[in-house]
Amino acid sequence: MKLNIALLAGDGIGPEVINQAVKVSNAVAKKFNHEINWQPALTGAAAIDELGEPYPDSTHEICANSDAVLFGAIGDPKFDNDPSAKVRPEQGLLKMRQKLGLFANVRPTFTFPSLIDKSPLKRERIEGTDLIILRELTGGVYFGERGRKDSGNTAFDTMTYTRPEIQRLAKKGFEMAMSRSKRLCCVDKANVLESSRLWRETVQAMEKDYPEVDVSYEFVDAVAMRLVQWPSTYDVMITANLFGDILTDEASVISGSMGLMPSASVGSKVSLYEPIHGSYPQAAGKDIANPLATVLSAAMLFEDFKLKEEAQAIRDVVNKSLAESIVTEDLAEGEKAYKTSEVGDWLAKNL
Ligand code: IPM
Ligand code: MN
């Protein structure tokens, strides 16, 4: 297969982790006789510095005309501490999600057998966890009306959802549930929020089209608690943009490190693959960040192109590296910590 992949390294540790995913993907391509054509493009602070915009049109062109996008991370502290900054790197990510129509963010959480005892949660709580949070990504409070009133002394952000927005996300959730254990949990705050009541109403109306799926409805605050108490009781979860943002950070703790969890953002056409972690600016340029989340995001990319063996080969070599403790400092626990690039080299070599 020939794949044109847009390569958006972004900010902070983005370039370092992306490089390892490229190494591993190239090794897979070589082994299975595929051809990958990487198309680098600017995003985030790097794009602001060079072109004045975090997601320039030239980058969008490259992404929209590619088969898939592999993305590193976005964000730079020089903007975080300046509330008056007009352009921010994060706006680039939101614009990209919106312009590429990436309405569903697939964030799996699973445990690695060799890391179970590194999780801050007890083994008996997390063993067997294999869940997917399907986060709505182009609506809700991230994109609702916002502003200031009263001479700037009142601020508001609105959580708005339309029925079709909920339906298309829920449809993916039902389909995913059908291909897994046929359990779907709709996470909302319907005891308080009107938009959540529309979520519940919409999902309930769809239940009849998927009679085999067992649907449950839970409030997001209760889910935040149960997710760390009994994560293995969940399978596919669907939720609004902001709730999903929060719950997926929480869920990443289960696996032992935020540096491990991949994600895919999907919509109508081109999909985007990225680690769920941020740009970790303190580590930028030090060659210490964990590249596995990005490498596993590349595995999700191959999987979506029906290249299942290729995806499995990546997961297998990642498991092998963990079992043999070829890990970066976040997982080394006093033992030898490998550099980001060393982990990437090891994976490519042992694939
Ligand atoms: C994420 C990130 C982004 C989000 C930020 C960087 C805008 O936290 O992908 O989860 O909030 O969606
Ligand atoms: Mn987040």
Side-chain angles (χ1 to χ4, degrees):
M1 184 182 256
K2 252 194 189 160
L3 285 172
N4 283 314
I5 305 181
L7 194 61
L8 274 50
D11 305 322
I13 58 166
E16 294 159 58
V17 293
I18 273 279
N19 280 342
Q20 315 318 314
V22 168
K23 274 183 206 166
V24 176
S25 301
N26 284 340
V28 170
K30 196 164 169 220
K31 184 175 161 112
F32 292 88
N33 268 317
H34 302 299
E35 194 183 318
I36 305 178
N37 185 5
W38 301 101
Q39 315 256 339
L42 286 172
T43 42
I48 297 178
D49 291 344
E50 204 143 312
L51 299 164
E53 267 200 71
Y55 184 61
D57 290 344
S58 51
T59 297
H60 180 64
E61 276 296 292
I62 291 176
C63 293
N65 292 312
S66 66
D67 297 313
V69 181
L70 188 63
F71 182 81
I74 232 169
D76 188 308
K78 73 181 175 206
F79 297 91
D80 292 350
N81 304 324
D82 175 10
S84 68
K86 289 243 155 24
V87 271
R88 301 175 169 278
E90 288 80 1
Q91 288 164 344
L93 188 57
L94 301 184
K95 191 169 161 196
M96 175 165 72
R97 288 171 180 170
Q98 196 173 38
K99 285 188 83 170
L100 293 171
L102 305 171
F103 64 83
N105 186 213
V106 185
R107 294 190 169 183
T109 292
F110 42 87
T111 52
F112 298 86
S114 51
L115 293 185
I116 284 214
D117 295 314
K118 294 211 167 129
S119 169
L121 301 173
K122 293 197 185 84
R123 165 184 282 272
E124 62 268 27
R125 298 268 164 176
I126 60 172
E127 229 163 20
T129 298
D130 179 13
L131 60 88
I132 292 184
I133 299 180
L134 196 57
R135 166 187 174 193
E136 201 289 327
L137 204 58
T138 52
V141 72
Y142 274 62
F143 292 92
E145 206 187 318
R146 67 164 55 105
R148 295 276 181 120
K149 312 190 275 204
D150 305 334
S151 321
N153 294 310
T154 303
F156 60 95
D157 298 274
T158 38
M159 189 179 305
T160 307
Y161 271 111
T162 65
R163 201 180 294 273
E165 279 176 329
I166 301 164
Q167 277 164 339
R168 65 185 181 181
L169 195 270
K171 183 166 181 279
K172 287 221 180 287
F174 276 107
E175 286 166 0
M176 211 170 256
M178 281 302 288
S179 71
R180 293 170 52 101
S181 76
K182 302 194 168 73
R183 280 181 299 128
L184 180 70
C185 179
C186 173
V187 182
D188 61 31
K189 188 69 187 169
N191 50 346
V192 178
L193 303 177
E194 195 56 37
S195 57
S196 284
R197 290 195 268 273
L198 181 61
W199 270 73
R200 241 176 226 219
E201 189 183 304
T202 306
V203 177
Q204 272 164 358
M206 293 170 78
E207 282 187 33
K208 61 173 185 340
D209 302 328
Y210 303 89
E212 287 174 60
V213 178
D214 176 15
V215 188
S216 62
Y217 298 85
E218 290 183 34
F219 299 137
V220 63
D221 48 350
V223 172
M225 191 173 66
R226 221 180 100 190
L227 198 53
V228 285
Q229 280 185 314
W230 303 114
S232 63
T233 58
Y234 287 111
D235 189 29
V236 181
M237 306 160 87
I238 50 172
T239 193
N241 204 341
L242 181 62
F243 300 155
D245 180 44
I246 298 166
L247 292 179
T248 52
D249 267 28
E250 188 192 1
S252 75
V253 170
I254 297 166
S255 69
S257 167
M258 215 189 176
L260 291 168
M261 289 292 116
S263 85
S265 299
V266 304
S268 33
K269 236 187 109 224
V270 181
S271 301
L272 177 142
Y273 301 83
E274 62 169 316
I276 80 152
H277 60 70
S279 60
Y280 192 14
Q282 305 86 327
K286 295 190 182 152
D287 205 17
I288 56 171
N290 189 340
L292 296 184
T294 316
V295 170
L296 290 168
S297 299
M300 289 182 88
L301 185 159
F302 284 109
E303 180 98 45
D304 283 352
F305 282 94
K306 308 264 176 294
L307 304 173
K308 293 203 183 308
E309 267 183 74
E310 290 78 345
Q312 197 53 45
I314 297 181
R315 291 190 199 111
D316 288 346
V317 79
V318 164
N319 280 327
K320 195 163 176 237
S321 73
L322 292 172
E324 296 186 21
S325 291
I326 314 295
V327 293
T328 41
E329 63 171 32
D330 52 316
L331 296 173
E333 276 190 345
E335 289 175 27
K336 177 175 161 59
Y338 286 78
K339 296 280 179 198
T340 310
S341 55
E342 289 172 339
V343 173
D345 290 339
W346 192 94
L347 295 171
K349 193 168 145 243
N350 288 275
L351 194 118

